[in-house]
Structures are given as C-alpha cells and as structure tokens.
Amino acid sequence: MRLDNEQESQNVEDRRGGGFGGRTTIGIGTIVVALAASYFFGIDPRVIIQGSQMIQGQTQSQPQSAPTQAQINDPKAVFTRKVLGNIERTWTTVFPQQINRQYVPPKLVLFSGATPTACGTGQTAMGPFYCPGDSKVYIDLQFYDELRQRFGAGGDFAQAYVIAHEVGHHIQNLLGISQKFDETRRRVSEAQANALSVRLELQADCFAGVWAANAAKANDQLLEPGDAEQGLKAAAAIGDDRLQQQSQGRVVPESFTHGTSAQRVYWLRQGLQTGDMRKCDTFSAKQLS
C-alpha cells in the first residue's frame, strides 16, 4: 500500500504510555484461555473481557502516562493512523452515496497489555476487537507481528484488512445490526447463536472489502499489485476450520463463530469486487460461499 500522502486520523487514543494503558501483569491461565477462545474458537471477545473485571478493579486507579515520542513515531502506529484516516474518508463518502446516511467514525485505541473498555477489560491476548458499548476499536500493535509470524499473513494490506474488519463491526453498530444480533442470540440455542455470529463476522469482512474497493477507486495509487491477495490470504488464514485444525487436529463446524477460510475469502472478495455495502447482506444469503 502507498500511504505516503495519506492524512493520519485524529480519532486515535494512544494508551501505551503507562498506567493501565501500559503493561499489566496477567496470569498465565487468563492468557491461555483468552488465546484459545479468541484465536482458535472465535468466541466473542466481549465474553472474555467481561470475565476479567478483577484486572480492571486492580489497575483502574493507576495514572496513565502519555505515550513517548518514540511510540508516537513508531512505524506501526503511523501506519495504523494513516489506514484509519483513509477508512474514515472513504466511508464518509460511501455512506451517503449508498445508503443516504451520515458516517460517524469510531475511535481507535492503541494499548499494550490490558486496558479498560466499556465491555470490560481488554487484553492483548484477544487480538484486535471492537466494543459497541463505547464505539471504539482496540488493538495492540504486536498483533501485526502475530499475523505475520503465526498466521503467515504479512503485508500492509493484510494489516489494513484487520483494521477495516473491526471498523466493519462499527458500521454494523451504526446500522443497528449488532443490536438485533445481540437480541436474537439471547433467544436461540448456542449452535444457532454461533451460526448468526458467523454471518456477523462475514459481513464485517465484506464491509472491509467495500472499503478497499472504494479507497482504490478514489486513489488508484493506494493499492499495489498483490495487495488484494494479501488480504485474501489473511482472511483464509483465520478461518475457523483452519484454526481448529491447527489447534486441536479436528474441525467442529457447529462451534464456528467467524466462518470457514473459504467463506471469509468469499465475502471479502464480494466487497472487493462490488464495492457496494448493499451486497454484504450475509444474513439473507442462502449460502455463505
């Protein structure tokens, strides 16, 4: 991706300077559970962080220091702010054009270790996530290394796709989709709730593709050859079937919450090819791939 001329977003809150925004001691048991639940089984991060209130209670009174200049100028942080800035500008144009509504951007929080959220205590081990309670995207920049080293999905666009996916959940929040999902899953079985969660996640993938398609249309220099393939590779790498096969040697379809590799690739490509968020209605789709 060519981001040299991209303006950085001002909707970024950097909590990496210390206090609760800095490194917090977390028990190994919590790390293991969070990793297994979030990475391998795709459990909603809000379920995990709500169970970590003890950490929040122990640390919320600590003062938060400002990030250092080195942290502010960290290439990963600059990259994140530029990508978010492009996402904001793109959706600000796309929303009124496609659905006749005004786009309200989310805040993005950079943190290390653990941080308080409206959904409970967020932890590095959970990976990037969106909290609808405060309309914020949370990310520890170490996840970019995890994406490359663990999942074999490196590259700028793969990282941008992760941010765009979480912003996709913000869009669902703006449109009332998240609220309907939460209301429905309380009334159905666990298997049915998981199936709905898959559709929610795949729609966020599609929205990520819509962003990329429209961003490239507005700036034909933004995406470079191979960028789209990086995103599709990242989507395939974090499919439920692949993660379960790697972690436990078997696949349990009824426990899927994010979609298979094929499904995630299909809906990201759907967004990339159409550039139309109205083509991302995963909830009405009879087949997901």
Side-chain angles (χ1 to χ4, degrees):
M1 296 184 69
R2 296 180 180 176
L3 298 168
D4 293 343
N5 297 323
E6 288 294 328
Q7 185 176 353
E8 297 180 18
S9 170
Q10 299 302 307
N11 290 313
V12 176
E13 182 181 345
D14 199 331
R15 300 181 184 175
R16 296 174 297 158
F20 197 39
R23 290 287 167 190
T24 302
T25 301
I26 303 174
I28 187 63
T30 302
I31 294 291
V32 172
V33 171
L35 277 171
S38 182
Y39 286 154
F40 298 151
F41 303 110
I43 293 176
D44 188 337
R46 286 171 287 177
V47 176
I48 308 169
I49 55 186
Q50 286 166 357
S52 304
Q53 294 296 323
M54 183 178 298
I55 299 174
Q56 183 176 10
Q58 291 173 344
T59 57
Q60 62 185 0
S61 62
Q62 298 179 15
Q64 180 178 313
S65 303
T68 66
Q69 198 62 41
Q71 288 174 319
I72 293 173
N73 295 328
D74 173 13
K76 294 177 184 175
V78 173
F79 169 85
T80 300
R81 293 193 297 267
K82 286 190 173 187
V83 168
L84 185 65
N86 183 280
I87 291 174
E88 290 169 352
R89 290 185 290 277
T90 301
W91 282 118
T92 296
T93 299
V94 170
F95 251 56
Q97 287 180 345
Q98 296 190 1
I99 60 172
N100 196 30
R101 289 185 57 168
Q102 182 179 2
Y103 179 68
V104 181
K107 287 275 188 178
L108 185 145
V109 178
L110 303 177
F111 75 98
S112 297
T115 192
T117 84
C119 299
T121 300
Q123 299 177 25
T124 295
M126 298 180 307
F129 63 93
Y130 173 73
C131 175
D134 54 22
S135 298
K136 293 181 179 180
V137 172
Y138 292 84
I139 184 171
D140 186 323
L141 297 179
Q142 287 188 351
F143 182 76
Y144 294 153
D145 297 328
E146 185 84 3
L147 191 65
R148 182 182 68 257
Q149 297 168 4
R150 182 174 186 173
F151 299 114
D156 288 349
F157 189 75
Q159 296 173 178
Y161 153 66
V162 170
I163 301 171
H165 173 91
E166 299 306 332
V167 173
H169 286 308
H170 175 66
I171 291 171
Q172 291 170 326
N173 197 28
L174 292 177
L175 300 179
I177 297 170
S178 301
Q179 293 86 337
K180 291 180 181 178
F181 165 76
D182 285 336
E183 292 169 1
T184 302
R185 72 173 179 176
R186 296 190 193 103
R187 303 193 302 265
V188 299
S189 68
E190 181 179 357
Q192 290 172 319
N194 287 344
L196 286 173
S197 178
V198 167
R199 291 178 183 270
L200 191 77
E201 295 296 334
L202 295 179
Q203 186 177 58
D205 281 337
C206 187
F207 285 157
V210 171
W211 155 69
N214 285 278
K217 186 185 299 183
N219 177 7
D220 59 9
Q221 300 297 312
L222 181 67
L223 299 185
E224 299 177 290
D227 277 347
E229 287 72 20
Q230 286 180 4
L232 294 170
K233 183 177 181 180
I238 53 179
D240 284 326
D241 52 343
R242 182 172 297 187
L243 293 178
Q244 287 190 358
Q245 186 65 45
Q246 292 174 347
S247 64
Q248 61 189 28
R250 63 191 180 93
V251 174
V252 185
E254 60 268 24
S255 69
F256 290 173
T257 58
H258 282 59
T260 66
S261 293
Q263 289 169 340
R264 300 200 71 165
V265 167
Y266 176 88
W267 284 100
L268 176 58
R269 183 180 284 121
Q270 171 83 346
L272 283 166
Q273 292 179 343
T274 67
D276 189 344
M277 60 188 301
R278 294 162 294 189
K279 302 295 185 181
C280 295
D281 186 3
T282 55
F283 290 93
S284 297
K286 294 182 178 180
Q287 293 189 348
L288 294 176
S289 63

